[in-house]
């Protein structure tokens, strides 16, 4: 835990904005991509997603959303104000346009940014992303409650990641039968994903805040013009693929790709997802 804490503090910067402080990091060179992480994450989880789904050749701008790590929850926090904080960050980094990637619970603020600041978003990519409040097929509230309990104890989370890996992955939406098909590289990435989320207790407030902000969320489309790629797995046991279908039905210029398998982490579809992303970006002006 001590080493994880040292690394977190060393690798990020805090920007003060009128929408609250935002923690971020910038890594790599190339086409800029804004990485917006899911529940239980932070800027570090965003970088992990960038590595998995994009590879090299990009300038990753990864943030910690409200309540995660060193990004506090401001008064009257909303998905709209979180998106506004992203725009302030881009101004600070002198980035005019950027590709926006929303993963899991990062989907709403990614979509909100693309809608509210269309001139700043060259493409929108939603991976296993939330697009509405609770939907049929989402993780059972009983198991969500267990996850919440684990999140509040760094030691409990450490025990699960070390000795009950398949159990914790299953609760996070990666069914055991999917995990069994993973290659050695994919299993290593799954363990890396779990390890990145140490210390977990510093991410719990964000998870609770997400549930409040997302409860009545609807996809904004009045100003969303960016070409959009929506990728989801039908066996995602955390965020139902109904979220993907909902986003696709509302975003006219979107492409929907549904895999039969892959779970919430989409690791078994990593290579196919990279191909889809490159095809989209080759068609999109940066």
């Amino acid at each position: 835990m001590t080493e994880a804490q040292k690394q977190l503090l060393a690798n990020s910067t805090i920007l003060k904005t009128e929408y609250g402080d935002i923690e971020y990091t910038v890594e790599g060179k190339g086409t800029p991509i804004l990485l917006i992480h899911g529940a239980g994450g932070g800027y570090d989880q965003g970088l992990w997603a960038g590595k998995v789904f994009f590879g090299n050749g990009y300038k990753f701008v990864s943030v910690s959303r409200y309540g995660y790590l060193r990004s506090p929850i401001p008064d009257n926090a909303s998905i709209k104000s979180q998106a506004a904080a992203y725009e302030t960050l881009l101004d600070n980094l002198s980035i005019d346009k950027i590709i926006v990637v929303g993963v899991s619970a990062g989907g709403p603020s990614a979509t909100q940014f693309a809608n509210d600041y269309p001139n700043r978003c060259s493409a929108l990519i939603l991976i296993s992303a939330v697009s509405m409040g609770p939907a049929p097929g989402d993780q059972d509230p009983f198991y969500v409650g267990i996850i919440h309990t684990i999140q509040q104890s760094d030691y409990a989370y450490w025990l699960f990641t070390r000795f009950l890996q398949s159990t914790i992955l299953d609760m996070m939406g990666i069914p055991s039968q999917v995990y069994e098909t993973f290659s050695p590289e994919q299993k290593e990435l799954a363990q890396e994903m779990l390890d990145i989320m140490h210390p977990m207790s510093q991410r719990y407030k964000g998870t609770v805040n997400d549930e409040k902000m997302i409860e009545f969320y609807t996809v904004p489309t009045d100003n969303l013009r960016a070409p959009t790629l929506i990728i989801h797995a039908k066996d995602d046991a955390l965020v139902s693929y109904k979220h993907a279908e909902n986003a696709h039905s509302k975003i006219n210029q979107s492409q929907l790709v549904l895999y039969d398998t892959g779970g919430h982490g989409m690791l078994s579809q990593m290579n196919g997802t990279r191909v889809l992303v490159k095809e989209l970006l080759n068609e999109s002006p940066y």
Side-chain angles (χ1 to χ4, degrees), residues 85-104:
Y86 301 156
E87 193 214 15
T88 302
L89 174 61
L90 296 189
D91 289 342
N92 184 70
L93 296 174
S94 299
I95 295 175
D96 182 33
K97 298 191 75 171
I98 198 163
I99 297 158
V100 181
V101 180
V103 179
S104 191

Side-chain angles (χ1 to χ4, degrees), residues 44-213:
D44 47 355
Q45 188 192 73
L47 288 178
W48 176 85
K51 170 185 173 181
V52 170
F53 298 116
F54 293 88
N56 300 320
Y58 300 96
K59 180 178 183 178
F60 293 132
V61 179
S62 191
V63 300
S64 296
R65 296 187 291 106
Y66 288 154
Y68 290 96
L69 301 179
R70 294 198 289 160
S71 289
I73 304 172
D75 294 338
N76 301 316
S78 68
I79 291 169
K80 193 172 183 69
S81 63
Q82 180 75 94
Y86 301 156
E87 193 214 15
T88 302
L89 174 61
L90 296 189
D91 289 342
N92 184 70
L93 296 174
S94 299
I95 295 175
D96 182 33
K97 298 191 75 171
I98 198 163
I99 297 158
V100 181
V101 180
V103 179
S104 191
S109 61
T111 307
Q112 191 75 47
F113 177 87
N115 182 79
D116 292 356
Y117 308 99
N119 294 330
R120 310 297 295 270
C121 179
S122 54
L124 173 64
I125 301 173
L126 301 174
I127 302 174
S128 304
V130 170
S131 73
M132 54 181 164
D138 286 352
Q139 182 66 282
D140 188 284
F142 173 76
Y143 293 103
V144 172
I146 294 175
I147 294 173
H148 276 238
T149 300
I150 295 170
Q151 277 191 291
Q152 296 177 70
S153 169
D154 293 334
Y155 184 60
Y157 179 71
W158 179 85
L159 285 174
F160 269 86
T161 59
R162 280 287 167 259
F163 303 110
L164 295 166
Q165 186 194 57
S166 63
T167 301
I168 191 72
L169 286 173
D170 190 62
M171 285 192 285
M172 290 181 175
I174 304 175
S176 56
Q177 61 267 31
V178 172
Y179 179 75
E180 289 169 2
T181 67
F182 281 3
S183 66
E185 178 193 8
Q186 290 163 350
K187 287 183 177 179
E188 185 178 331
L189 285 169
Q191 183 61 56
E192 189 177 288
M193 177 188 74
L194 294 175
D195 290 344
I196 280 172
M197 290 190 279
H198 292 303
M200 179 55 86
S201 62
Q202 294 187 27
R203 307 162 198 267
Y204 180 63
K205 289 182 180 179
T207 302
V208 174
N209 183 64
D210 278 350
E211 292 182 355
K212 294 177 182 177
M213 293 199 303

